[in-house]
Amino acid sequence: MEIYKITPRGLENCRFDDMSREKGNRYWLLLTPEEMVNANGFFNFNSRTIDECLSNNQVPRLEVYESFSFGVINIINKEKDFILASELNFYLTSNYLIFVTKDSSSDMIKAVKDEIDGNSIDLERILYIFLDRLTASDNEILKDIEEDISDIEELVIKGENRDYIMDIVSLRKQLLFLKRYYEPLLDIAEGLEENENGLINEKSVRYFTILKDRIERLNRNVLNLRDYITQVREAYQAQVDINLNKIMKLFTVITAIFLPLSLIAGWYGMNFKYMPELSWVMGYPFAFLLSGIVIAICLIYFKKHDFI
Amino acid sequence: MEIYKITPRGLENCRFDDMSREKGNRYWLLLTPEEMVNANGFFNFNSRTIDECLSNNQVPRLEVYESFSFGVINIINKEKDFILASELNFYLTSNYLIFVTKDSSSDMIKAVKDEIDGNSIDLERILYIFLDRLTASDNEILKDIEEDISDIEELVIKGENRDYIMDIVSLRKQLLFLKRYYEPLLDIAEGLEENENGLINEKSVRYFTILKDRIERLNRNVLNLRDYITQVREAYQAQVDINLNKIMKLFTVITAIFLPLSLIAGWYGMNFKYMPELSWVMGYPFAFLLSGIVIAICLIYFKKHDFI
Amino acid sequence: MEIYKITPRGLENCRFDDMSREKGNRYWLLLTPEEMVNANGFFNFNSRTIDECLSNNQVPRLEVYESFSFGVINIINKEKDFILASELNFYLTSNYLIFVTKDSSSDMIKAVKDEIDGNSIDLERILYIFLDRLTASDNEILKDIEEDISDIEELVIKGENRDYIMDIVSLRKQLLFLKRYYEPLLDIAEGLEENENGLINEKSVRYFTILKDRIERLNRNVLNLRDYITQVREAYQAQVDINLNKIMKLFTVITAIFLPLSLIAGWYGMNFKYMPELSWVMGYPFAFLLSGIVIAICLIYFKKHDFI
Amino acid sequence: MEIYKITPRGLENCRFDDMSREKGNRYWLLLTPEEMVNANGFFNFNSRTIDECLSNNQVPRLEVYESFSFGVINIINKEKDFILASELNFYLTSNYLIFVTKDSSSDMIKAVKDEIDGNSIDLERILYIFLDRLTASDNEILKDIEEDISDIEELVIKGENRDYIMDIVSLRKQLLFLKRYYEPLLDIAEGLEENENGLINEKSVRYFTILKDRIERLNRNVLNLRDYITQVREAYQAQVDINLNKIMKLFTVITAIFLPLSLIAGWYGMNFKYMPELSWVMGYPFAFLLSGIVIAICLIYFKKHDFI
Amino acid sequence: MEIYKITPRGLENCRFDDMSREKGNRYWLLLTPEEMVNANGFFNFNSRTIDECLSNNQVPRLEVYESFSFGVINIINKEKDFILASELNFYLTSNYLIFVTKDSSSDMIKAVKDEIDGNSIDLERILYIFLDRLTASDNEILKDIEEDISDIEELVIKGENRDYIMDIVSLRKQLLFLKRYYEPLLDIAEGLEENENGLINEKSVRYFTILKDRIERLNRNVLNLRDYITQVREAYQAQVDINLNKIMKLFTVITAIFLPLSLIAGWYGMNFKYMPELSWVMGYPFAFLLSGIVIAICLIYFKKHDFI
Ligand SMILES: [Mg+2]
Ligand SMILES: [Mg+2]
Ligand SMILES: [Mg+2]
Ligand SMILES: [Mg+2]
Ligand SMILES: [Mg+2]
Ligand SMILES: [Mg+2]
Ligand SMILES: [Mg+2]
Ligand SMILES: [Mg+2]
Ligand SMILES: [Mg+2]
Ligand SMILES: [Mg+2]
Ligand SMILES: [Mg+2]
Ligand SMILES: [Mg+2]
Ligand SMILES: [Mg+2]
Ligand SMILES: [Mg+2]
Ligand SMILES: [Mg+2]
Ligand SMILES: [Mg+2]
Ligand SMILES: [Mg+2]
Ligand SMILES: [Mg+2]
Ligand SMILES: [Mg+2]
Ligand SMILES: [Mg+2]
Ligand SMILES: [Mg+2]
Ligand SMILES: [Mg+2]
Ligand SMILES: [Mg+2]
Ligand SMILES: [Mg+2]
Ligand SMILES: [Mg+2]
Ligand SMILES: [Mg+2]
Ligand SMILES: [Mg+2]
Ligand SMILES: [Mg+2]
Ligand SMILES: [Mg+2]
Ligand SMILES: [Mg+2]
Ligand SMILES: [Mg+2]
């Protein structure tokens, strides 16, 4: 349990008892789910949201009640295959901003404290800084994905004969993951911007507008990258189809040359008593000639029809 | 027929006659369609909605009339292949909330009663609790579907050579079913949130907003899972195409090796009187050599062109 | 020409002359296009809409003028392949509702009269009843289409080897037809709900809202059925692709077994003087053995690679 | 240069000098781009729009300035493959409607004059009549396209073995052309309906609403026809795939019958000294029998597996 | 560092010190990022935007603060494969328009100065002229792309047997690039049109509306060209599929003719002692006749089934 009183000189450590006595000041609290349950005797939030603080795997969202807003946020480890790092719930009232999380000493929280430093700050600005940090490095992640797609595209165009499906599937999955990550974040930013219960002051709303616009840009970027990888996938699949045609053309040429030759050979392998060609002196050269003619006709025909 | 009077201490059993005498109180009624027909002498709803209470297979929706709202809701058994469990119609007026259903002792209704318990509660809150229960466990259902898709995806990527179309078709059908289930529910939640006939008090509207947001999140999740399964389907189909190419390459290699060899064999099976090779001492080894050269050329060519 | 005066006891037959003399009453008129032309000396609608009453094949729509609304509606025979049954134009002014149609004794009109019976009724309610009848049985039609799609899906999944394209094409065409039928109807219902020239009284607007919602649900259902049939089509096409692979695998197995065997046979059919195998006592059994080995290798290889 | 004064008796020819002296009247002007440049000394429009009057190939649009609206419209020859017939720019101010075009004697302009005839008319009504004429016959054009698509569909379903890609490509291109033609027209109609600079009187706005609705219906029709042709294309492509399967089945049957027969023939063509079958009296009939068994097995197998 | 004072006679050069003393005038500043850092002692913008001026590779956007607007714009070299030419940041306050860029002597800036020339001008008009220049020649670029697509389409329809995938991929990539370029520009123009901090006067807002409409038209054009190239790609892929069918038909015909002939030849190459045909005088002509019949049957069959 960490409690910070908001003072003109920045954050100031404070005990729960002091906080509960002094009315009128504003506080930022970092609680574990269990501490939240205990503290609720003082705050009196509805039991439903308290239950969600205790459970995991909740869907990220913002619920705007008359006197407070309640939020669920998933923190993602974007380096390690986008696995869920931790979940954070928050309450925002007119005087308290409560973060309910199991690891209050995470990098995210530390970075927020660093940015506040010794400045006087609104409660909603702390929330803004935290939400802003969540997507701070996402432009780089999207740029990495774009380069990966671009690499595959180049190989596909060059006709490098490899199986790209696995790479494409993996990139598409990452993009879908990000889309599903941004959509609820966008809802949360919009909900804070709309400010239906009036907890955020007019001036700060502007910051949530900028936050919302940024997440929208990120999401739009994801959608455009999906378009991009769709193009690459379709180009690859077209190459596969074109390759099949090339294979079948090669195959047809081979067959069309050897079947007639084999027929000639088989023909003069027949055992009829009365086959005049067999006893001709020029019979064997005649078979050669016949074979040559067949080959020539095939080559001319297939050349003309672009098979070879 | 069950009639509950709303009191500061929770629900209180009550008879129809008492209810029709005392004006000013609020009541929750659980009626069968037939009881609704009889009770309409007292309530005077339009005959069209009464007809719908009697018939089954109505489309879920909300109709907002001047002095009351009428709703149709389908209750789905999500464990058993999403079959229709039962239909419920409701009327909401300023003093009455009427549920018209054939099994008023269903799990859903019991759960609503449990949640109300001994609390004082608004009529619209009862309706909210009921609607909220309808989708209470849907996040788990969607998570199950997501895992199923993910399993198929893994097998497809590993190149496991099975027919996944049946599984994909079945999952897509489930998602389409859910989409078609959420769309009218969303309309109903929106209609209650809009509150055009003013039957719901300002404070309670907030609950229907939260309900609507939740159904929207569920529906969005369904759409994203559709995207996901589309990706898997396309990856699978790409694998099928790539496999065809592989089969045809193998086939071409087999043919390209054996047709020339067969030609050689056939050629020296010809019965011409004057075929010098036949009487050479090294004729047979020469045929072997020729065959070896053909095989070598084929192998080099196909190796170079990535066929083998 | 049929003219009905709206009275507190329902519709009352009336002659044109009486109507033109008594001001202040409200009338429902059923006119043929030619009668409309004559009657326009009294009504004075713009010539453009009158022209449209005379011509056929107009696009369904609503045009909202300052003192009247003009509508074009196509009546479709949904049993007989969705052919156009008849066209109806209507004028709505503050005192007159005019239906211009060639067969004023159609089932639709009769049904409207039946529903009015002896009740007092607004002019706009007559229009509402008529429009409502237009899509009254469409839920059944859509349910039929859904069952047809479901039947095809089952057969596709079972792998029944038939050509479903014709059925799929026909169902898709029906759905597109319905989409194109609902879109203008939706515009008409919306136009009446918006009520820009104020001809419809506040209370009746609610009915057009319910009508619009219903058409929207029908159209949404059509879109979802399109999704459904798209899924079936894609599943079918995937089956076609998978079948091709199976055919080619079978084909490859056949070829891979018989080509080497044929080579062996051809090889020992060569006529070289000096071929030691030919004179071996065990030559022929040796050929049998060789063939058996080839078959065994092929079967093992193809078994391992899932060809058989 | 043609200048028409709007009088209660219709249009009245007038000279530029007279117009520039008499204030308070309203005029419709038909100018060439060069005449517009000269006349701008009087009108004083911004140089940018004047430049556009002089140049060709401008994008159709409406620009709404404080005291005037400026529009660019492309007139299309829909009979001759949709080539650009001519460009028209217009200025609308409170007293002047100026059409800047190279051929002021075109059919379009004549038709507008005919419709005005001797009637008193607003300036914006002249503009409306002109814009209305632009798409007057488009329903017929779309009906023609629909019939073309329907013809192709019927042939595809019948399985007529022709190459429809060229026809489909051409129809899709026409529809894309129309979509690109309607989109800016829709913007122009919407801009005039919004009437942000108030140049159009309240009553006339209604006409631009009807115009906008009509263009929207046309565009929606185009989108639906695109859906239709997409369905036909997909059906055709499915037929191509199904045909390939049929070809390959036929091919497999041929191969599966003849390869074993050829093996039998080749087998008894071997030259081993010790091949007992060769000297059997029933050897040759035995080969016949063997061949017959092979054929029978193949036919039964392929019949069972739906190949023939 | 260039500073221009806005005077009734156009721009007037000015020093930083003079500017910082005289209040009430309006100025246009061209600063390098480093100069901006220094000058911020005077302007006092928030450190976050100053940081972005220093860094590159920022996402284009507009941020609207209470007393100023901050923008990031990418300038693209559209001749050279759309590479990033330079980045420009701008601040707009009520009295200052600051362009922060490394090359203030670029063509773009010069063109802006030329257009201003000696005219009195608003600060926001300078910004408008600059933004307007950004897309000034884009209609030509899009026309070029359209012609490229049209060329490929013609070749595809003619059946020219080339690999168009590379060209199609490249054009699609260009269009996606342009879409991603226009989307943030559109946001910027919309943000300036919305004018939430009131820095732009009512009259000038109209110019940003026209700008926004123009970018929207460009983006819509891009989307339509994407539709166009999708059509061409699908037509090409259909051709590839149709070609495969043709190849396989040719292949089937070849096989179906030669396999039976080879069987006949092989059959009479058998070495049975008792084969009556071999000793017939007409044996060899009989084989010829048999072969002729096989060929005739094949040709008739394949002609009938449209294979040849
Ligand atoms: Mg969404
Ligand atoms: Mg976007
Ligand atoms: Mg996008
Ligand atoms: Mg995509
Ligand atoms: Mg795309
Ligand atoms: Mg594809
Ligand atoms: Mg979504
Ligand atoms: Mg989604
Ligand atoms: Mg999908
Ligand atoms: Mg996708
Ligand atoms: Mg919907
Ligand atoms: Mg829908
Ligand atoms: Mg739908
Ligand atoms: Mg579809
Ligand atoms: Mg869909
Ligand atoms: Mg789908
Ligand atoms: Mg597909
Ligand atoms: Mg539509
Ligand atoms: Mg549409
Ligand atoms: Mg459509
Ligand atoms: Mg389409
Ligand atoms: Mg479609
Ligand atoms: Mg397709
Ligand atoms: Mg974008
Ligand atoms: Mg467009
Ligand atoms: Mg568009
Ligand atoms: Mg558009
Ligand atoms: Mg598009
Ligand atoms: Mg298309
Ligand atoms: Mg595309
Ligand atoms: Mg496609």
Side-chain angles (χ1 to χ4, degrees), chain C residues 48 173 179 226 268 284, chain D residues 132 153 224 227 271 277:
Chain C
R48 193 165 195 157
K173 198 169 182 181
K179 177 168 172 281
R226 276 161 62 109
Y268 294 116
Y284 186 48
Chain D
D132 187 61
E153 188 188 29
N224 279 323
D227 264 22
N271 296 323
E277 295 96 325

Side-chain angles (χ1 to χ4, degrees), chain A residues 216-217 219-225, chain E residues 176 179-184:
Chain A
E216 240 170 24
R217 275 194 303 275
N219 197 33
R220 195 165 60 184
N221 208 344
V222 166
L223 295 182
N224 279 321
L225 289 178
Chain E
L176 182 56
K179 176 168 173 277
R180 295 176 74 183
Y181 178 63
Y182 291 136
E183 282 173 350

Side-chain angles (χ1 to χ4, degrees), chain C residues 147-307:
Chain C
E147 274 164 35
D148 287 355
I149 302 176
S150 185
D151 289 351
I152 297 177
E153 187 187 28
E154 231 165 290
L155 290 171
V156 166
I157 289 177
K158 277 190 197 154
E160 296 275 329
N161 216 327
R162 248 184 54 208
D163 190 339
Y164 302 105
I165 285 298
M166 237 160 87
D167 303 301
I168 291 173
V169 164
S170 147
L171 287 168
R172 280 172 86 177
K173 198 169 182 181
Q174 283 175 46
L175 289 171
L176 182 56
F177 184 96
L178 285 170
K179 177 168 172 281
R180 295 176 76 181
Y181 177 64
Y182 291 137
E183 281 173 350
L185 267 192
L186 202 53
D187 290 349
I188 292 169
E190 272 177 343
L192 291 166
E193 185 200 15
E194 284 171 13
N195 191 23
E196 286 204 14
N197 51 11
L199 290 174
I200 295 169
N201 78 48
E202 282 292 291
K203 243 182 98 179
S204 298
V205 162
R206 206 175 289 281
Y207 284 94
F208 292 102
T209 305
I210 290 173
L211 177 68
K212 187 203 67 181
D213 285 353
R214 191 146 74 82
I215 300 175
E216 241 170 22
R217 276 193 304 274
L218 285 168
N219 198 32
R220 194 166 59 187
N221 207 346
V222 167
L223 296 181
N224 278 323
L225 289 178
R226 276 161 62 109
D227 264 23
Y228 188 13
I229 202 160
T230 295
Q231 289 181 14
V232 172
R233 185 182 67 76
E234 289 176 351
Y236 175 51
Q237 213 146 349
Q239 285 291 17
V240 169
D241 283 8
I242 292 168
N243 276 344
L244 182 61
N245 279 22
K246 283 184 187 157
I247 294 168
M248 292 320 298
K249 280 180 172 175
L250 172 66
F251 186 57
T252 302
V253 171
I254 291 171
T255 309
I257 288 174
F258 282 100
L259 278 193
L261 297 189
S262 283
L263 177 63
I264 291 167
W267 193 257
Y268 294 116
M270 290 197 292
N271 296 324
F272 288 110
K273 265 192 186 146
Y274 310 100
M275 274 183 78
E277 296 96 325
L278 293 183
S279 44
W280 290 356
V281 176
M282 297 305 288
Y284 186 48
F286 171 73
F288 263 110
L289 181 70
L290 217 59
S291 300
I293 292 171
V294 164
I295 293 172
I297 291 175
C298 280
L299 291 181
I300 290 165
Y301 179 87
F302 288 122
K303 194 84 195 166
K304 200 176 134 207
H305 287 79
D306 255 324
F307 275 57

